[in-house]
Amino acid sequence: MEYTIRDMIERHGRRLDQTDYVDASSEMLDFRLFSSDHYDWHGDKLRFKESADVMDFDQAVKAFPALAAVKYKSRQKFPYFTDNLDLLVEALNNGETVAVEGGPCLFGAHEVRVFVHTDDGKTHEFDYANGKIYLNDCFSDDDTLAQFVLRNGEHVTGINFKQYKEQLTSQEYLQLRYPFELASAIGGPLVIPLPDMSYRKYLVATLETVSSEIRTKALADFDEILSNVDRFYLNEIDELQRHFRIKEFACLHLGTPDWLNIWYEKRARYVEKQKSLKKLTRRAEHLESVKDYVSMPALPFYLFDSKYILEVNSVEETDSYRKCKRQHKSAFKLGCILLPELLGKNNTDIVYDAPLEFKNYGVYEKVV
């Protein structure tokens, strides 16, 4: 569903002059968003999924003054989805340290394809990021990678992958840049997870019914793709770290097993309770990945014992943010600044979903 903040104001029964957005720019009010209509009113601001208030840049800066330090050139155009910023500002004013956590997905639609070969001589093609099957080079909801392989494991004769991703997209750079900018502005720790471990866990669960030989080869081939993609991010992260020089910084991925072990060990008491697990997801093949996503905002707590955390991420992570707060309760104070998804070059799909030729690879402006 495509909409704008202006649409939501009208759809939810108010005129612009009856809201806090009366002085907002047209660019922000008409920024094209893609998600479901999960808005209600929180005072005179829209609230998304009962979790985050919508603000323009000036409002967000007023709520969290450190945001003014962000140099990203399109910062004024975005709606910002924010929560608990007053608690974090109070902590900063009292001399407390506030950590930042955030970062992009590893890859999006069309960037890694999966080919599942079966004993009837057929090859079934899937997109890894969304799990959907390709029919005539278009996505279909008829089947998913996990459902198909789990159902037909004994008939699978081979699985191979093809990587199309060769650079970072504009969205991925945005979601690296903002956490660095804000961590630098407030002087706290920064944790950026590269979710290769989560992408891998989905594959492990998917391969449960295939032979051990096929499973071993598929995982080895996929690990090579994960390593290749990680390298794109790590090169950019190294450059950002050289520029911003965050004193306490951690980037978690499969290549940092010590940090992963700390994360898994410390989160167990918060996410491994049987009662809590039932609320995370109904799909068994997604469970281990979802446990990662709902505990990632807490990474500064696990690694640096941070008691105040600002998550800087995509608005698509609103559910993970909400579930993280629920799972950890009073262990720490968590707030967020969530960013919208950018449009691809076709001006139709968000970058994550856009076909390869419209991904906006390498199209981002760096601050010199």
Side-chain angles (χ1 to χ4, degrees):
M1 168 182 158
E2 178 182 339
Y3 63 90
T4 67
I5 296 301
R6 193 188 302 275
D7 292 336
M8 286 298 108
I9 292 170
E10 295 176 359
R11 192 172 300 176
H12 288 267
R14 296 196 188 182
R15 301 189 313 269
L16 185 62
D17 61 4
Q18 295 174 318
T19 73
D20 285 345
Y21 309 113
V22 64
D23 295 321
S25 69
S26 294
E27 288 179 311
M28 175 271 189
L29 291 170
D30 296 322
F31 192 96
R32 292 165 65 192
L33 299 163
F34 296 80
S35 66
S36 299
D37 179 2
H38 291 297
Y39 291 86
D40 53 20
W41 289 104
H42 185 203
D44 291 327
K45 287 184 173 65
L46 286 168
R47 190 161 179 81
F48 183 60
K49 291 190 172 183
E50 299 182 341
S51 300
D53 290 342
V54 179
M55 297 183 181
D56 67 10
F57 182 75
D58 291 339
Q59 290 169 338
V61 167
K62 185 175 180 180
F64 196 76
L67 184 63
V70 168
K71 303 269 192 317
Y72 197 86
K73 292 190 176 181
S74 296
R75 62 193 181 276
Q76 293 276 2
K77 299 179 181 179
F78 302 149
Y80 293 83
F81 298 77
T82 71
D83 185 47
N84 277 349
L85 297 185
D86 55 337
L87 297 179
L88 301 184
V89 169
E90 182 181 2
L92 288 168
N93 291 340
N94 290 335
E96 301 284 353
T97 298
V98 175
V100 174
E101 184 278 335
C105 295
L106 203 64
F107 52 80
H110 306 289
E111 295 188 304
V112 174
R113 294 194 184 192
V114 190
F115 303 88
V116 181
H117 310 283
T118 49
D119 55 13
D120 58 2
K122 294 182 179 179
T123 297
H124 310 265
E125 185 175 353
F126 298 86
D127 181 80
Y128 193 88
N130 62 32
K132 293 183 178 181
I133 192 169
Y134 282 99
L135 294 178
N136 300 319
D137 211 38
C138 295
F139 291 140
S140 169
D141 292 324
D142 289 350
D143 219 340
T144 70
L145 173 64
Q147 291 169 358
F148 180 86
V149 175
L150 288 169
R151 189 174 67 245
N152 298 288
E154 63 183 296
H155 300 292
V156 173
T157 58
I159 297 175
N160 59 290
F161 306 85
K162 186 166 183 180
Q163 173 189 335
Y164 293 91
K165 184 178 185 64
E166 298 296 338
Q167 296 184 64
L168 299 193
T169 66
S170 54
Q171 182 72 41
E172 291 157 350
Y173 182 75
L174 173 77
Q175 288 177 233
L176 288 178
R177 182 92 206 180
Y178 263 77
F180 269 99
E181 296 250 32
L182 282 162
S184 175
I186 63 180
L190 171 63
V191 181
I192 292 183
L194 299 179
D196 53 2
M197 75 296 292
S198 310
Y199 281 53
R200 191 181 197 275
K201 288 171 184 174
Y202 172 72
L203 183 60
V204 169
T206 296
L207 297 175
E208 186 176 322
T209 61
V210 306
S211 70
S212 59
E213 182 181 355
I214 292 172
R215 183 185 307 117
T216 299
K217 184 180 185 305
L219 286 170
D221 291 346
F222 190 62
D223 283 343
E224 185 175 349
I225 287 176
L226 293 177
S227 179
N228 292 340
V229 174
D230 276 353
R231 200 169 302 120
F232 303 146
Y233 285 98
L234 293 173
N235 289 341
E236 198 62 58
I237 287 169
D238 286 346
E239 185 172 330
L240 288 165
Q241 175 63 346
R242 281 195 295 271
H243 179 79
F244 289 104
R245 299 181 181 276
I246 307 300
K247 290 182 180 179
E248 293 183 288
F249 173 67
C251 177
L252 274 74
H253 52 91
L254 286 169
T256 59
D258 291 344
W259 280 338
L260 292 181
N261 289 337
I262 293 172
W263 177 26
Y264 297 151
E265 179 182 347
K266 291 190 174 182
R267 80 180 189 186
R269 60 179 294 193
Y270 300 102
V271 301
E272 297 292 349
K273 296 177 182 178
Q274 197 62 35
K275 184 178 179 180
S276 299
L277 291 176
K278 292 179 180 178
K279 297 179 180 179
L280 294 182
T281 179
R282 297 176 181 176
R283 303 300 295 269
E285 65 269 24
H286 291 293
L287 179 59
E288 293 302 319
S289 298
V290 171
K291 283 158 61 175
D292 288 352
Y293 294 132
V294 302
S295 60
M296 280 178 183
L299 278 168
F301 171 66
Y302 303 136
L303 300 183
F304 297 113
D305 197 30
S306 300
K307 296 299 189 291
Y308 298 91
I309 302 171
L310 172 67
E311 184 182 12
V312 182
N313 215 318
S314 163
V315 69
E316 295 298 317
E317 300 302 324
T318 302
D319 288 338
S320 295
Y321 168 77
R322 173 177 50 81
K323 291 177 182 179
C324 183
K325 284 203 304 180
R326 183 184 68 201
Q327 297 292 113
H328 293 84
K329 296 182 180 177
S330 60
F332 54 86
K333 301 296 184 183
L334 179 64
C336 70
I337 296 177
L338 305 178
L339 308 167
E341 293 282 323
L342 305 179
L343 277 175
K345 288 190 289 187
N346 60 359
N347 208 34
T348 300
D349 300 299
I350 60 172
V351 173
Y352 182 92
D353 291 328
L356 291 170
E357 63 268 29
F358 302 123
K359 285 285 188 187
N360 276 344
Y361 287 121
V363 181
Y364 40 75
E365 296 169 323
K366 302 180 184 180
V367 176
V368 178

